[in-house]
Amino acid sequence: MTDKTHLFEYLLRLGDNALVLGQRLGEWVAHGPELEEEMAMANFALDYIGQARLFLSYAGEVEGQRRDEDQLAFLRDSIDFKNVLLVEQPNGDFGQTIARQFLYESFYQFQLEGLSRSTDTRIAEIAERVSKEIRYHLRHTRKWVLRLGDGTDESHKRIQNSFDELWRFSGELFVADETDNWAVEHGIGPNPETLSSRWNQFVGAALTEATLIQPDDGWMDGGGRYGRHSEHLGYLLADMQFLQRAYPAASW
Amino acid sequence: MVLTAKADKDTVWRLLSEVPDPEIPVLSIVDLGIVRWVRTDHTRIAVGIAPTYTGCPATEVIAANVLKHLGQNGLDATVERVLSPPWTTDWISDEGRKKLHAYGIAPPAGSTNDELRVACPRCDSKQTEKVSEFGSTPCKASYKCSDCLEPFEYFKCL
Ligand SMILES: [Zn+2]
């Protein structure tokens, strides 16, 4: 693979993670447990969609096939999506959304820290900007982990279940492959393997404080980065892409 | 009207200070601190604008409003997006902070990550309580004053 195809791949992964998670969070609009949390989820979603636009429009420029952010978002099939499996998992109850958000953003904060030192100025600038947003999100999400974990028996049981269920999707975040190795060699981004101990420490501390038990690392699921997705992504894309597929090039 | 790219920087800055932020129209985009630079060389005028949040839907509206307002004043310009250094609430001018307060939105207190006492913009009481970290737009949080009981919005620190 050439530098160009590696960079395109790398940007698609960043963009697709943001896009899919943003779309998921947007599903809470009009379904939030209370008004304030609904606004929080909508705000998170908006931030992620904004990030996806920055990464995907850059990806399109790198690819040089005249595909813009919209074409990349709305006209690719699930097999061409490079997001990790964690972000496409369904919202479940509010606790499950919080657990998913916490596991992912705990990783994302460290990934962004590495990306903000990227030799690729454009990536570094985006990461520097986005880090500030994710820090704000995490402050909120971590509080909810504590509140639900150290809350009632019911909330404790449910969020513990969510962490147990989602844990198998955390492994994929830290596996370095050819594209990651390329990124490390060229100073584009951090080696994901080196982020796992800080992630474990960060997540572990919150779970302990929340009186929750950190699940054991058992069998880990994966393959999202290679287009091997869970069935959930298809439904998400059907929802997100319907309009552009039914009415090609429709615009406001 | 035939548009020209000939204008001095001061004129462009003055015109930009007349463009309101679409979400908080009491502030101009200059007060908000998102206009980073103006470049003029008598063949083109370029304006650098930093988005407040990456997902802020107002960013494109702002760019369009800038071009429209400059155009109405006979100027032909382009707008560029500036990501670095990122916008934070520290970029809001003192004038902007006064306008926010007068408008009923508590201006950002301190800098990022501080959990400071936010004063009520109606009665200036510091007995206030945070209702939510989030509000009607990405840049605001929701508060309530324990003295005058007024709910208000706080321009949160980022
Ligand atoms: Zn008051």
Side-chain angles (χ1 to χ4, degrees):
Chain A
M1 277 169 81
T2 63
D3 283 352
K4 196 172 99 171
T5 47
H6 274 307
L7 182 56
F8 177 60
E9 182 72 21
Y10 198 74
L11 290 166
L12 278 187
R13 291 178 182 185
L14 290 167
D16 287 347
N17 281 344
L19 180 63
V20 170
L21 188 53
Q23 178 71 14
R24 271 282 178 250
L25 291 166
E27 290 171 9
W28 275 108
V29 174
H31 300 278
E34 56 174 3
L35 184 61
E36 284 74 19
E37 283 320 303
E38 186 166 309
M39 290 195 298
M41 292 303 126
N43 275 242
F44 283 12
L46 208 53
D47 286 342
Y48 276 103
I49 303 292
Q51 295 163 26
R53 297 185 59 186
L54 293 174
F55 287 126
L56 292 181
S57 54
Y58 187 19
E61 289 169 37
V62 169
E63 187 195 30
Q65 302 288 326
R66 295 163 174 246
R67 286 203 284 181
D68 64 11
E69 55 185 84
D70 288 328
Q71 284 162 320
L72 287 171
F74 297 120
L75 301 178
R76 279 181 303 148
D77 293 328
S78 107
I79 197 166
D80 298 317
F81 270 76
K82 305 300 170 73
N83 59 281
V84 292
L85 298 179
L86 178 61
V87 296
E88 72 198 40
Q89 296 311 306
N91 285 339
D93 59 20
F94 183 70
Q96 187 170 323
T97 294
I98 291 295
R100 185 188 63 204
Q101 197 66 13
F102 185 68
L103 292 177
Y104 181 70
E105 294 197 327
S106 300
F107 156 78
Y108 196 26
Q109 64 172 339
F110 296 129
Q111 186 189 34
L112 287 166
E113 196 183 288
L115 290 172
S116 67
R117 292 191 294 264
S118 180
T119 50
D120 183 305
T121 336
R122 185 139 157 208
I123 292 180
E125 288 183 3
I126 297 173
E128 192 191 358
R129 161 76 279 186
V130 172
S131 288
K132 290 178 182 296
E133 296 167 3
I134 299 305
R135 210 176 305 147
Y136 197 84
H137 292 190
L138 258 179
R139 210 167 75 185
H140 184 73
T141 314
R142 192 178 190 281
K143 274 186 200 156
W144 271 108
V145 171
L146 301 188
R147 202 173 299 164
L148 295 173
D150 197 10
T152 64
D153 288 347
E154 179 71 10
S155 72
H156 176 90
K157 193 178 81 196
R158 282 166 72 161
I159 197 165
Q160 180 69 61
N161 278 343
S162 299
F163 277 113
D164 293 345
E165 279 294 309
L166 292 171
W167 200 258
R168 73 176 192 278
F169 299 112
S170 65
E172 191 182 12
L173 301 170
F174 305 104
V175 179
D177 68 1
E178 200 195 338
T179 296
D180 292 303
N181 293 334
W182 169 87
V184 173
E185 268 166 40
H186 290 75
I188 303 288
N191 181 342
E193 284 167 7
T194 62
L195 306 178
S196 89
S197 67
R198 286 164 82 198
W199 180 85
N200 260 293
Q201 215 167 14
F202 185 86
V203 170
L207 292 181
T208 305
E209 201 180 329
T211 72
L212 293 164
I213 294 164
Q214 181 163 346
D216 292 328
D217 288 347
W219 173 75
M220 289 290 181
D221 212 337
R225 292 182 300 173
Y226 311 113
R228 295 196 300 273
H229 292 282
S230 58
E231 65 171 318
H232 306 298
L233 185 66
Y235 291 99
L236 179 144
L237 293 183
D239 198 15
M240 184 178 84
Q241 297 182 332
F242 169 77
L243 196 88
Q244 280 300 325
R245 301 281 193 164
Y247 305 96
S251 67
W252 290 105
Chain B
M1 179 164 36
V2 179
L3 299 185
T4 167
K6 284 186 188 175
D8 59 86
K9 276 186 197 174
D10 291 348
T11 309
V12 179
W13 275 103
R14 186 179 49 74
L15 290 171
L16 291 171
S17 71
E18 294 166 3
V19 178
D21 175 70
E23 284 175 344
I24 309 166
V26 69
L27 288 188
S28 81
I29 57 173
V30 174
D31 294 327
L32 190 57
I34 60 173
V35 181
R36 281 300 158 78
W37 43 254
V38 171
R39 289 182 190 142
T40 54
D41 65 0
H42 292 277
T43 58
R44 63 188 278 268
I45 301 167
V47 180
I49 293 183
T52 51
Y53 288 75
T54 50
C56 187
T59 311
E60 276 143 39
V61 180
I62 290 169
N65 289 350
V66 164
L67 296 180
K68 189 173 156 208
H69 189 64
L70 293 179
Q72 281 166 345
N73 286 276
L75 297 182
D76 182 20
T78 54
V79 169
E80 286 175 36
R81 189 203 314 243
V82 183
L83 285 175
S84 181
W87 180 87
T88 66
T89 36
D90 296 341
W91 288 85
I92 301 176
S93 68
D94 290 341
E95 183 63 26
R97 281 159 209 268
K98 280 184 208 138
K99 287 183 187 170
L100 276 175
H101 184 269
Y103 189 57
I105 296 174
S111 60
T112 322
N113 283 336
D114 298 341
E115 297 256 9
L116 292 168
R117 282 257 157 237
V118 173
C120 168
R122 313 261 167 207
C123 73
D124 288 323
S125 164
K126 294 220 164 179
Q127 301 303 312
T128 59
E129 122 190 37
K130 178 159 64 190
V131 179
S132 170
E133 302 247 27
F134 301 89
S136 58
T137 66
C139 55
K140 284 176 276 171
S142 310
Y143 273 72
K144 190 173 79 183
C145 176
S146 309
D147 280 332
C148 75
L149 303 180
E150 186 76 12
F152 65 92
E153 289 194 301
Y154 167 58
F155 203 117
K156 70 198 184 192
C157 289
L158 188 89

